[in-house]
C-alpha cells in the first residue's frame, strides 16, 4: 500500500512539473536563403539548468511510487555534475537527505548549495561501488540512474512530449546526445509510437561505446574509456540506450564539439558545454546532407545545459590545450559554413 507521505510526495513532484514552464525553442541562425531551419530546445531554462531535471524528477517519482524511497530515506547517487544538482533539488523539495558520491576532481558546489552532501572518491570509477555500499550501510536508496533510466516512466515530462508540439511540422531530424540514453529513447519512442516521419540521430564523442556499439550491433560493446565531453559518451552501452530506436549515430570529434560550443555561445549568448557543441556539429552535418539532397524542413537539437562553469572548460584555451583539443580548424570550418555559406563536403 502506498503511504500518505508517498501520495503527497508524488503530488509535489507533479505540481513542480506543472509549474515548470515549457523550455523555449530557439532558432539557430543559418545563412540567408537556406531552406533548412535549425532549432535548439533550450534545456538550460530548466529550474536546475539542464535536461537532467526531467530525468531526476521521473526517477524520484518512480522510486517513491514503488516504495523504494520512503519518508526520511537518504537518497544516494554516484554522479557529479548536472544530474547530482537536479537530484539534490528534488531531494530538498521532498525533504529527503541526499548524498552524491563523485570523483575527487568534481565540484560539489551546486549540490551543497541545495542542501545535499558530497563524498569524493578516487579513482573515478569507484563511485558506483562506493555509492551502493554507502546506501546499504545507512539503509538509504541508491538511485543508480544509468540503470534505472532504462525503465523510466516519464509521466508526460520527457523532452519528446514538449518538442514535437513546438516545431509545427515534424522535424526531418532530431539530434540529441546520449549519456544515460534516456533522452534519445524518449524521442525515438515518440517518433515510432506516433508514426511520425522524423528521424532520430545521436551524436557521440570520442572514446564512447555508443557509436561503435550501434554500428556493430554489439549490445555489450565497451571501450572502458571516459568521455572528455561532459554529459555525453559512455565507456559502455548503457541499458537506457535503445539502439533500435536510433536511425543514425554521428561520431563527433571532441575538438569539433569544443569549437561548436564556442559558436553556440557566440550566436546565442549561452555559455554551453561540449555536449551542446556536439549537438550543433551533428545537426549541421545533417543540415548539410539535407541541402545536398534538396530536402527542405527542420532540424531540431538541444541545448543540454549552460552555465558559467563551462568558462573553465570548453571556453578556456588553457583547458582545451591541456586536453590536447585543437578546436581552431573546426572553428574555421564552422565559419566557412555559417558565415560564408560554403557547404561542407560530407565524408
Ligand atoms: C546527460 C546529458 C545529456 C544526455 O542525456 P541522457 O538522457 O542522459 O542520454 C546530454 N547533454 C547534457 C548536457 C547532459 O548533461
Amino acid at each position: 500500500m502506498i503511504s500518505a507521505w508517498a501520495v503527497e510526495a508524488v503530488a509535489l513532484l507533479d505540481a513542480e512539473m506543472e509549474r515548470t514552464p515549457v523550455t523555449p525553442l530557439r532558432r539557430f541562425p543559418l545563412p540567408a536563403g537556406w531552406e533548412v531551419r535549425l532549432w535548439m530546445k533550450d534545456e538550460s531554462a530548466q529550474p536546475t539548468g539542464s535536461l537532467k531535471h526531467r530525468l531526476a524528477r521521473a526517477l524520484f517519482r518512480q522510486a517513491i511510487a514503488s516504495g523504494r524511497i520512503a519518508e526520511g530515506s537518504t537518497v544516494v547517487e554516484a554522479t557529479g555534475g548536472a544530474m547530482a544538482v537536479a537530484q539534490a533539488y528534488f531531494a530538498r523539495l521532498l525533504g529527503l537527505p541526499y548524498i552524491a558520491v563523485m570523483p575527487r576532481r568534481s565540484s560539489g558546489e551546486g549540490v551543497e548549495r541545495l542542501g545535499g552532501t558530497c563524498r569524493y572518491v578516487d579513482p573515478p570509477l569507484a563511485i558506483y561501488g562506493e555509492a551502493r555500499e554507502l546506501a546499504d550501510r545507512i539503509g538509504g536508496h541508491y538511485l543508480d540512474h544509468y540503470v534505472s533510466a532504462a525503465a523510466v516512466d516519464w509521466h508526460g515530462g520527457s523532452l519528446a512530449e514538449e518538442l514535437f508540439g513546438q516545431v509545427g511540422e515534424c522535424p526531418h531530424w532530431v539530434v540529441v546526445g546520449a549519456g544515460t540514453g534516456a533522452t534519445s529513447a524518449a524521442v525515438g519512442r515518440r517518433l515510432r509510437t506516433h508514426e511520425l516521419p522524423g528521424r532520430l540521430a545521436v551524436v557521440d564523442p570520442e572514446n564512447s561505446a555508443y557509436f561503435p556499439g550501434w554500428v556493430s550491433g554489439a549490445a555489450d560493446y565497451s571501450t572502458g574509456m571516459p568521455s572528455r565531453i561532459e554529459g555525453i559518451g559512455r565507456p559502455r552501452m548503457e541499458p537506457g540506450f535503445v539502439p533500435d530506436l536510433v536511425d543514425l549515430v554521428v561520431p563527433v570529434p571532441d575538438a569539433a564539439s569544443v569549437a561548436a560550443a564556442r559558436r553556440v555561445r557566440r550566436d546565442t549568448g549561452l555559455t554551453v558545454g561540449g555536449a551542446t557543441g556536439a549537438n550543433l556539429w551533428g545537426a549541421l552535418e545533417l543540415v548539410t546532407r539535407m541541402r545536398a539532397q534538396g530536402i527542405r524542413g527542420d532540424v531540431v537539437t538541444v541545448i543540454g545545459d549552460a552555465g558559467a562553469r563551462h568558462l573553465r572548460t570548453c571556453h578556456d584555451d588553457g583547458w582545451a590545450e591541456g586536453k590536447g583539443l585543437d578546436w581552431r580548424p573546426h572553428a574555421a570550418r564552422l565559419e566557412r559554413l555559417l558565415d560564408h555559406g560554403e557547404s561542407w563536403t560530407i565524408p
Side-chain angles (χ1 to χ4, degrees):
M1 207 193 68
I2 185 160
S3 72
W5 178 84
V7 171
E8 201 188 313
V10 165
L12 276 172
L13 293 173
D14 289 349
E16 192 274 344
M17 185 167 101
E18 283 300 313
R19 71 172 177 265
T20 299
V22 168
T23 56
L25 193 64
R26 300 184 185 280
R27 177 100 178 247
F28 187 87
L30 294 178
W34 285 18
E35 286 176 329
V36 179
R37 286 174 303 185
L38 178 56
W39 305 90
M40 301 191 94
K41 183 146 173 72
D42 183 5
E43 292 289 290
S44 76
Q46 291 283 357
T48 53
S50 88
L51 88 181
K52 293 294 194 301
H53 195 81
R54 298 174 186 277
L55 183 58
R57 183 203 290 127
L59 294 180
F60 268 84
R61 195 185 192 285
Q62 210 160 350
I64 290 164
S66 64
R68 281 171 283 143
I69 293 178
E71 185 170 10
S73 295
T74 297
V75 178
V76 181
E77 182 62 286
T79 185
M83 189 45 147
V85 173
Q87 290 182 357
Y89 171 92
F90 285 108
R92 188 173 71 163
L93 180 78
L94 301 168
L96 300 168
Y98 178 73
I99 304 173
V101 180
M102 55 180 76
R104 174 116 16 231
R105 280 175 304 124
S106 23
S107 159
E109 221 175 289
V111 171
E112 280 159 5
R113 210 177 306 125
L114 289 163
T117 307
C118 302
R119 287 227 182 169
Y120 299 97
V121 170
D122 215 22
L125 280 175
I127 60 174
Y128 305 102
E130 175 65 23
R132 185 178 297 283
E133 275 167 34
L134 175 65
D136 281 350
R137 205 157 59 232
I138 63 176
H141 175 66
Y142 174 35
L143 265 173
D144 198 1
H145 67 292
Y146 281 107
V147 171
S148 47
V152 65
D153 181 343
W154 294 95
H155 276 274
S158 84
L159 183 131
E161 239 89 34
E162 282 182 17
L163 179 67
F164 294 101
Q166 279 175 294
V167 192
E169 253 182 73
C170 181
H172 199 72
W173 283 103
V174 179
V175 182
V176 300
T180 65
T183 304
S184 59
V187 171
R189 286 216 174 85
R190 184 84 183 186
L191 288 167
R192 300 283 163 98
T193 54
H194 291 248
E195 293 181 14
L196 297 170
R199 282 179 286 175
L200 170 64
V202 166
V203 291
D204 204 37
E206 291 168 28
N207 298 334
S208 172
Y210 289 131
F211 174 66
W214 178 81
V215 168
S216 67
D220 58 351
Y221 200 98
S222 163
T223 64
M225 301 261 286
S227 164
R228 289 183 292 189
I229 303 299
E230 188 189 318
I232 61 167
R234 294 292 298 164
R236 56 163 199 175
M237 300 271 272
E238 298 294 348
F241 180 80
V242 186
D244 291 350
L245 292 171
V246 178
D247 296 296
L248 184 69
V249 179
V250 183
V252 178
D254 290 351
S257 295
V258 169
R262 290 169 178 238
R263 185 76 200 206
V264 173
R265 180 165 172 234
R266 207 193 85 174
D267 289 2
T268 69
L270 292 165
T271 309
V272 304
T276 300
N279 281 345
L280 176 66
W281 190 270
L284 289 173
E285 285 201 10
L286 292 167
V287 166
T288 295
R289 275 193 200 205
M290 284 171 68
R291 295 190 69 236
Q293 295 165 356
I295 300 169
R296 332 170 150 200
D298 297 291
V299 175
V300 181
T301 189
V302 177
I303 292 171
D305 68 359
R309 67 204 170 84
H310 292 306
L311 290 172
R312 295 191 296 268
T313 60
C314 294
H315 305 278
D316 182 70
D317 290 351
W319 178 87
E321 209 168 294
K323 297 265 177 195
L325 297 170
D326 186 8
W327 50 275
R328 288 179 183 86
H330 300 282
R333 206 159 165 236
L334 285 167
E335 269 170 38
R336 286 198 296 278
L337 179 79
L338 294 171
D339 301 331
H340 307 291
E342 288 172 30
S343 251
W344 287 355
T345 44
I346 311 158

